[in-house]
Amino acid sequence: MKKDVILAPSLLAADFSKVGEQLQQIKDGGAAYIHLDVMDGLFVPNISFGTPVIKSLRACTDLFFDVHLMIDRPERYIADYVGAGAQLITFHYEATKDPRAVLEQIRAAGVKAAISVKPGTPVEVLKELLPLCDMVLIMTVEPGFGGQKFMADMLPKVEWLVKEREAQGLAFDIQVDGGVGKGNAADCVRAGANVLVAGSSVMGQPDLKSAAEEVLSCAKEALV
Ligand code: DX5
Ligand code: ZN
């Protein structure tokens, strides 16, 4: 039985001058999460936003806060992001010396914990860490920028996770992030992903509500 699909539009592609309205529009279109991309200009060659922005958004929406930390040594900032309103924190396997300790730290802080691998990192490195994960994020672009082309050759990583989840008797969610939209959402779900990040394909569209509805309905075609 496949898990139901969760749509997580990315704030990175939002129009920050009307973000309150936009969050309501994606919610009306069926999104349950808002994906918050934090970039430090070090782990990735781009800078986005940090805790003050997340904290102020917390007051204007009840969407689930899915925080994607693309930062070096994330262990330094877990408490700050939990304090700002994160409900799930994803960090990168490549960004820390002790990923196990970071997963434990996130869970001990009272929120869901997730780990991500960049396209060049084999997913098998996560094998022993999976029991500590509430979600695993497979990057389908090189992290750092929105609007890039989806890498379909990352989907075998999703398929490996599905098998490993079964073999280890686990229940973590599987998220894909980067270039996801109506043209490939069903392929992602068919491979086994159940949380879809959508930046340009939803948050960058003129009508956010119908864009969210459309991506979700394409994704759900793979469930029937
Ligand atoms: C890229 C970010 C993504 C990005 C997705 O580093 O992690 O979440 O916002 O944007 P699109 O969907 O436009 O690729
Ligand atoms: Zn992201």
Side-chain angles (χ1 to χ4, degrees), residues 10 12-13 35 37 39 44 68 70 139 141-148 177-180 197-201:
S10 167
L12 206 58
H35 182 82
D37 286 304
M39 304 178 181
V44 289
H68 178 193
M70 284 163 275
M139 288 306 301
V141 298
E142 232 13 278
F145 300 91
Q148 304 181 74
D177 181 11
V180 176
V197 177
S200 346
S201 68

Side-chain angles (χ1 to χ4, degrees), residues 63-97:
L63 284 163
F64 183 87
F65 275 18
D66 159 25
V67 174
H68 178 193
L69 295 180
M70 284 163 275
I71 66 176
D72 190 45
R73 288 171 291 145
E75 57 272 18
R76 298 172 296 158
Y77 293 106
I78 301 305
D80 292 350
Y81 283 92
V82 173
Q87 289 163 285
L88 178 153
I89 297 181
T90 303
F91 67 97
H92 275 264
Y93 176 83
E94 305 87 352
T96 182
K97 284 199 176 110

Side-chain angles (χ1 to χ4, degrees), residues 14-38:
D15 177 345
F16 280 79
S17 69
K18 44 183 177 187
V19 76
E21 267 168 64
Q22 293 202 324
L23 292 177
Q24 187 58 47
Q25 289 161 0
I26 57 163
K27 195 176 169 196
D28 293 343
Y33 287 13
I34 178 72
H35 182 82
L36 301 160
D37 286 304
V38 176

